[in-house]
Amino acid sequence: MVDVAGNLGAVQAEIAAATRQARRQTGAVTLVAVTKTHDDERIRPAIEAGHRVFGENRVQEAASKWPALRREWDDLELHLVGALQTNKAVDAVTLFDVIESVDRPRLINALVKAMARTGRRPRCFIQVNTGEEEQKAGCLPGEADDLIAGARTAGLDVSGLMCIPPFDADPSSHFTLLSGIARRNGLTQLSMGMSADYATAIAHGATHVRVGTAIFGSRRS
Ligand SMILES: *Cc1c(COP(=O)(O)O)cnc(C)c1O
């Protein structure tokens, strides 16, 4: 048995402590509870404990889980944190309130069209591949300024930036890099930090931390 409510409380307490320690305002950091691979039984205790902001990495999986939960709770906020294919843009803007993985011009175009078609307008984060890893989604750091400008010109509601540092690296330099790109582009929101490094991310200015394992336990993948 995983004590979801207990884990959630512990993570919230650690977020509050890291926020204080960084001399940032109470409530400056939003916890996105990442529920990928977990079913209703695991998710409900978090909602019942009062948590409202959740993340999924796959459109199809989110479509099978969240519409029913949203019918029960009308104040949930759902973030897409995984790579998005252009052919799923309509489903994504229909399901999600925030899309954190905008990373290329073709996807920006698909999202603009999907928003026009559905009348939905989720907030967007531009994902930056700060470690310049071959296999990883996100634009290269050197492309970020142009992509942000392009997304704004196209009419997306660009709130901030997101990154996933390389698995085996010290994340600090990646958080610093992301925060610099945000600052020079006038963006105030930074989605960075996961179970292993969210306190570090908060020290570097994260406004959103995406935490799965520390709340819901290990994933069956
Ligand atoms: C799965 C996932 C997370 C959560 O990772 P944990 O290490 O389980 O906290 C955060 N961000 C993204 C993009 C993910 O896919």
Side-chain angles (χ1 to χ4, degrees):
M1 277 300 290
V2 174
D3 177 9
V4 169
N7 292 344
L8 179 65
V11 169
Q12 282 164 336
E14 200 171 325
I15 289 172
T19 304
R20 260 195 316 278
Q21 202 165 3
R23 299 176 188 280
R24 298 179 54 200
Q25 232 167 7
T26 307
V29 180
T30 299
L31 170 60
V32 181
V34 179
T35 50
K36 65 187 188 210
T37 79
H38 296 299
D39 57 19
D40 258 37
E41 267 49 64
R42 208 47 83 80
I43 297 171
R44 277 174 189 278
I47 303 177
E48 280 157 9
H51 196 72
R52 291 294 178 267
V53 185
F54 294 90
E56 287 281 347
N57 72 331
R58 293 213 169 108
V59 174
Q60 236 148 349
E61 182 182 341
S64 76
K65 285 151 66 172
W66 287 94
L69 291 166
R70 280 198 194 268
R71 279 193 287 278
E72 272 182 77
W73 287 278
D74 61 10
D75 56 350
L76 300 176
E77 179 178 298
L78 197 58
H79 292 228
L80 176 63
V81 300
L84 176 57
Q85 294 170 273
T86 51
N87 64 2
K88 300 221 172 77
V90 167
D91 290 338
V93 304
T94 304
L95 273 165
F96 292 95
D97 303 295
V98 181
I99 296 178
E100 297 202 15
S101 49
V102 178
D103 66 354
R104 57 198 191 279
R106 262 170 50 79
L107 180 57
I108 291 170
N109 292 340
L111 287 169
V112 167
K113 280 190 195 135
M115 289 181 198
R117 236 174 91 181
T118 58
R120 298 252 319 152
R121 196 156 180 270
R123 286 175 282 137
C124 295
F125 284 66
I126 304 292
Q127 182 177 352
V128 182
N129 183 358
T130 56
E132 308 196 18
E133 294 173 278
E134 276 311 329
Q135 78 288 1
K136 203 164 263 176
C139 70
L140 293 173
E143 303 167 343
D145 295 352
D146 283 348
L147 197 68
I148 293 162
R152 284 171 160 162
T153 303
L156 293 194
D157 181 359
V158 182
S159 316
L161 303 180
M162 184 268 247
C163 76
I164 309 171
F167 178 69
D168 52 2
D170 175 352
S172 294
S173 63
H174 298 271
F175 296 156
T176 303
L177 174 58
L178 195 72
S179 135
I181 297 171
R183 197 173 321 110
R184 70 175 182 245
N185 284 282
L187 292 167
T188 55
Q189 315 268 288
L190 291 169
S191 175
M192 55 192 201
M194 311 184 6
S195 288
D197 56 16
Y198 64 90
T200 307
I202 290 168
H204 285 85
T207 59
H208 294 72
V209 293
R210 310 177 309 268
V211 179
T213 312
I215 300 169
F216 301 103
S218 55
R219 288 181 282 270
R220 302 140 297 167
S221 46

